[in-house]
Amino acid sequence: MHNWARYLIFFQYIGTKYRGVVKVPLEQQGKKGVQDHLEEAIQRLRPNNLVSLSVSSRTDTGVHALSNSAHFDLQRKNDKPPFTEDVLVQALNFHLKEEQIRVTQAHRVPDDFHARFRAQSRTYVYRIALGVPHHTLLPLTDWNLCWSLRDTELDIDAMREAAALLVGTHDFSSFRAVNSDLPFKNPVKTLDVVAVQPGSSFAHSHFHRQLQFWELTFRSRSFLYKQVRRMTGALVAAGQGLLSVSQVKQILDARDTLAYPQGVVAPAHGLFLKSVDYKESDLQFSQEPDSTDDPKNRC
């Protein structure tokens, strides 16, 4: 059908008020997931089909995204042509109203495109503020958007040495949390980047006190459940002297989720999904009709 289209959207959100990114089952709804609000906004466009998003990257309650992504199929009523990408972005943001969710881009993509499986890499950034005895001393622009520590300094050399141990292909069983997917997920992942770099407050030019920020960056094709928060917690513990670099290596080598020390996991609110990257060729869409196309076969 010429008015049936598959779209890839990129969207950002402040995760504080949402129960993670994915849809929350009706019987559990109190807080909604980001996906719930996006699907409600799409349904307000009055499509001919019931729309269901396929989100590329799951994030937990309290975790934020500068750029997550999802695909969905949309058929307009009365044989109207597909929305243009710019109009779709504007319309969705209009219907999202005051939600802390914004659609930043839309791409018309081939019918076999999948947001999750075509992703080439995912990049997460974890923000840390030092010298903050109580979170109320943070500027409002950073509240619930970083992990505030009382420590006035961290041993950055130790953190970088420990971070280097995590780069490459390893069995990260020790750095995943237990959930229902655990028996089915391969714990071997390849981390392309683990970096510890200076950061800054979102209000650094306008706040009355100087706060030192650090950012931990992780890039891989995919991650295990809570892997980034557990790696962050271990690196910060190394910076605080609570774990030695050799102990971080022992945790990694143990390949056992029970080897991870208690009380070390970094909180959700400092974590941002920074980007989900795709091959440009995968985002190319041809307008040529396909006579064999059957929307019922689409995932």
Side-chain angles (χ1 to χ4, degrees):
M1 297 181 183
H2 75 276
N3 65 337
W4 188 289
R6 177 163 291 191
Y7 294 96
L8 170 71
I9 57 170
F10 291 92
F11 54 98
Q12 56 186 209
Y13 47 90
I14 302 300
T16 307
K17 63 178 284 190
Y18 304 111
R19 192 171 170 180
V21 68
V22 297
K23 195 167 186 172
V24 177
L26 284 174
E27 65 272 13
Q28 299 179 18
Q29 280 202 354
K31 277 186 178 181
K32 291 183 178 181
V34 173
Q35 180 180 350
D36 292 296
H37 292 285
L38 285 168
E39 289 183 357
E40 288 172 7
I42 297 169
Q43 290 301 147
R44 290 192 183 103
L45 303 180
R46 299 181 181 178
N48 209 30
N49 60 309
L50 184 63
V51 172
S52 178
L53 268 71
S54 292
V55 179
S56 73
S57 308
R58 297 185 65 153
T59 60
D60 291 334
T61 300
V63 175
H64 319 290
L66 300 173
S67 186
N68 203 338
S69 61
H71 79 262
F72 62 93
D73 294 327
L74 188 148
Q75 182 185 23
R76 299 187 71 189
K77 291 181 177 178
N78 302 321
D79 211 31
K80 292 181 180 179
F83 290 107
T84 64
E85 295 159 345
D86 288 345
V87 167
L88 181 63
V89 170
Q90 293 172 20
L92 291 180
N93 285 331
F94 174 80
H95 288 299
L96 285 165
K97 300 184 184 298
E98 296 180 3
E99 292 298 332
Q100 292 187 307
I101 305 168
R102 285 294 174 269
V103 177
T104 57
Q105 298 178 58
H107 298 269
R108 180 91 181 267
V109 290
D111 295 341
D112 63 351
F113 180 90
H114 198 288
R116 178 184 172 193
F117 300 124
R118 292 292 180 90
Q120 297 298 298
S121 68
R122 294 162 173 85
T123 302
Y124 285 87
V125 171
Y126 198 101
R127 303 180 68 241
I128 298 166
L130 300 185
V132 185
H134 194 270
H135 67 83
T136 55
L137 297 176
L138 285 169
L140 281 174
T141 51
D142 292 294
W143 187 77
N144 266 343
L145 300 173
C146 66
W147 183 11
S148 55
L149 300 176
R150 291 176 175 271
D151 308 70
T152 56
E153 60 181 35
L154 296 172
D155 186 340
I156 301 301
D157 289 339
M159 292 177 67
R160 287 173 171 161
E161 188 178 349
L165 298 173
L166 304 176
V167 177
T169 302
H170 305 282
D171 182 328
F172 283 97
S173 293
S174 296
F175 289 93
R176 68 174 170 182
V178 175
N179 71 344
S180 58
D181 291 339
L182 189 144
F184 311 106
K185 294 281 188 179
N186 185 347
V188 177
K189 301 291 180 183
T190 300
L191 266 64
D192 302 308
V193 172
V194 182
V196 182
Q197 300 167 315
S200 63
S201 166
F202 291 136
H204 66 95
S205 299
H206 307 284
F207 195 55
H208 67 281
R209 15 184 331 246
Q210 283 295 112
L211 294 174
Q212 187 176 19
F213 279 75
W214 289 90
E215 293 183 352
L216 279 60
T217 302
F218 305 86
R219 189 175 73 229
S220 176
R221 183 156 194 155
S222 62
F223 293 88
L224 300 167
Y225 180 53
K226 294 189 179 178
Q227 181 184 348
V228 175
R229 288 171 56 195
R230 289 164 76 92
M231 291 189 298
T232 296
L235 296 182
V236 169
Q240 294 171 317
L242 301 176
L243 289 175
S244 66
V245 174
S246 62
Q247 284 176 311
V248 175
K249 186 176 188 308
Q250 288 169 13
I251 294 168
L252 176 65
D253 291 343
R255 294 177 292 181
D256 180 359
T257 188
L258 297 177
Y260 190 86
Q262 292 186 348
V264 173
V265 181
H269 54 257
L271 182 59
F272 290 75
L273 173 59
K274 180 183 178 183
S275 62
V276 183
D277 296 312
Y278 298 92
K279 290 181 180 178
E280 283 294 328
S281 58
D282 284 340
L283 302 183
Q284 302 304 314
F285 173 72
S286 171
Q287 293 282 357
E288 295 179 8
D290 183 352
S291 60
T292 65
D293 183 38
D294 181 355
K296 294 180 181 177
N297 294 330
R298 298 175 182 174
C299 57

